[in-house]
């Protein structure tokens, strides 16, 4: 079984409300940082790359 190296975004501040990601050969895994043993989402690497490209072009504002 592969040991996963979970990472948090540097933009997550204190880390209380964010997601963690881990990479495998086949996919990018995403989990809720508050539920470490909970469900995970798995995205093929190509889909994750498309998401990052789109997200980096968007500007998010909070009101």
């Amino acid at each position: 079984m592969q040991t996963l190296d979970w990472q948090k975004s540097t933009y997550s501040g204190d880390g209380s409300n964010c997601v963690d990601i881990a990479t495998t050969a086949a996919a990018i895994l995403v989990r809720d940082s508050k539920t470490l043993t909970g469900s995970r989402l798995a995205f093929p690497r190509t889909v994750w790359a498309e998401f990052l490209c789109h997200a980096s072009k968007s500007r998010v504002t909070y009101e």
Side-chain angles (χ1 to χ4, degrees):
M1 188 169 147
Q2 178 183 5
T3 301
L4 299 173
D5 180 24
W6 291 97
Q7 299 178 6
K8 214 176 290 300
S9 169
T10 57
Y11 291 100
S12 65
D14 68 0
S16 61
N17 291 310
C18 59
V19 295
D20 299 330
I21 65 163
T23 60
T24 69
I28 304 298
L29 305 176
V30 181
R31 71 178 181 187
D32 183 340
S33 62
K34 294 183 298 289
T35 312
L36 303 182
T37 59
S39 299
R40 301 170 182 172
L41 300 173
F43 297 96
R45 289 176 162 272
T46 54
V47 172
W48 186 254
E50 289 176 25
F51 165 74
L52 290 179
C53 182
H54 176 74
S56 67
K57 292 178 183 176
S58 300
R59 291 212 164 164
V60 178
T61 58
Y62 298 98
E63 296 182 27

